[in-house]
Amino acid sequence: MAEVRSRQFWRSMLAEILASLVFVSAVLGSSLPGSEGPSLGPIYPALAAGMATVGLGHCFGEISGAQVNPAVTLALLATRRLDVLRAVVYVVAQCLGAILGAGIFYLVLPLKFTAEIYVNKVPMEVNAGQALGAEMLATFQLAFTVFSVEDQRRREGSEPGNIAIGFSVSAGIFIAGKISGGCLNPARSLGPAIIAGYWEHHWVFWIGPVLGAVLAGVSHEFFFAPSASRQKLVACLTCKDIEIVETASVSRSSLSTVTQTAMRAKQTNKLEHN
């Protein structure tokens, strides 16, 4: 429990609350109907969400990771990139920030009854199963990008790739926008649902993103990452130290690369000599 008493722990929690508040406010604000009526298509919410993600990554990336999304947080927990305590606190903070963001935005709306347009809904011409599939696919590509960027940052210490993540958020909303509304984020759906009291098919916007994110995290960490190996998967399933196995995998991969390069150089020199 020493972590709970640390200043960094509470700074991280507050960062997730504020980041979620800003993110939800940006998405809701971009959906505000103009004088010509409701905006057509997902282009404004997609651009607003992507831009907000880039900005929040720079603001809070070094504090909490600017996860903002419970689906991404649960994927990090499933792959043991995040401990249980911090994951639970982050999810609660993200939902609280989303509720506050939706509530504040509701107070400043010109007409209170328009709040219902901000709730994620399954369109009449689409069934819940189709919306679920769209949410899974869109969130899968988002979470896979997040894991890829984080893996590269750990290995190379480069810029954390906020622009790549922002683009993937926008792409996800474009993918699922006209099928499920392009939620990708359970907290973003929860905030307006509580304020407007609309819960129809709300489960789609939790199960879809969470399943998509967890599948992306598992597939990246244990199949596509440079450190992926059967031993790493077994270590995760048996609650052993993944970092030791991961370091060994990366070392073997680096040694193999060096060996192959040396062999190619030796063959080239031999051919030139002949």
Side-chain angles (χ1 to χ4, degrees):
M1 297 300 290
E3 184 180 18
V4 178
R5 294 192 293 269
S6 68
R7 180 171 176 267
Q8 175 60 30
F9 181 85
W10 295 105
R11 286 179 70 236
S12 299
M13 184 191 72
L14 291 174
E16 286 297 305
I17 292 175
L18 183 56
S20 298
L21 188 157
V22 172
F23 179 81
V24 170
S25 299
V27 175
L28 297 185
S30 65
S31 304
L32 186 67
S35 57
E36 68 281 2
S39 59
L40 300 176
I43 184 168
Y44 293 136
L47 293 177
M51 293 175 182
T53 298
V54 174
L56 292 171
H58 283 286
C59 293
F60 302 109
E62 296 296 325
I63 301 175
S64 66
Q67 296 172 27
V68 183
N69 190 333
V72 172
T73 299
L74 293 176
L76 292 170
L77 173 63
T79 54
R80 296 181 59 196
R81 291 295 179 187
L82 204 63
D83 60 79
V84 176
L85 175 62
R86 193 171 286 265
V88 171
V89 170
Y90 278 10
V91 170
V92 172
Q94 290 155 2
C95 291
L96 179 58
I99 295 169
L100 291 174
I104 293 172
F105 202 81
Y106 176 71
L107 293 175
V108 301
L109 285 177
L111 298 174
K112 299 297 179 67
F113 67 85
T114 58
E116 192 173 321
I117 70 171
Y118 303 122
V119 180
N120 281 107
K121 301 177 183 178
V122 176
M124 294 292 293
E125 62 275 13
V126 177
N127 61 48
Q130 292 170 324
L132 182 70
E135 287 294 315
M136 287 181 62
L137 175 62
T139 312
F140 181 94
Q141 64 84 30
L142 165 61
F144 200 93
T145 302
V146 171
F147 274 83
S148 299
V149 165
E150 178 61 20
D151 182 67
Q152 183 177 1
R153 187 193 66 80
R154 288 198 306 267
R155 288 185 290 109
E156 302 179 7
S158 59
E159 198 272 335
N162 298 320
I163 294 179
I165 297 174
F167 280 157
S168 69
V169 170
S170 296
I173 297 177
F174 284 131
I175 290 170
K178 294 187 177 180
I179 302 174
S180 64
C183 176
L184 284 71
N185 186 331
R188 179 261 178 271
S189 179
L190 179 65
I194 289 179
I195 299 302
Y198 186 91
W199 299 99
E200 186 174 359
H201 295 133
H202 184 73
W203 59 272
V204 168
F205 306 109
W206 277 89
I207 296 178
V210 170
L211 285 179
V214 170
L215 287 173
V218 170
S219 61
H220 179 272
E221 289 297 292
F222 304 123
F223 294 98
F224 292 101
S227 61
S229 66
R230 183 175 61 84
Q231 292 78 10
K232 183 179 174 182
L233 177 60
V234 172
C236 179
L237 295 175
T238 55
C239 298
K240 294 181 180 178
D241 193 336
I242 290 183
E243 292 186 0
I244 295 177
V245 178
E246 188 176 40
T247 302
S249 299
V250 172
S251 298
R252 286 195 297 270
S253 176
S254 299
L255 180 60
S256 176
T257 301
V258 171
T259 303
Q260 292 174 10
T261 302
M263 290 178 64
R264 285 195 295 267
K266 185 176 180 180
Q267 291 174 353
T268 301
N269 290 334
K270 184 176 180 181
L271 290 173
E272 290 177 352
H273 179 71
N274 292 334

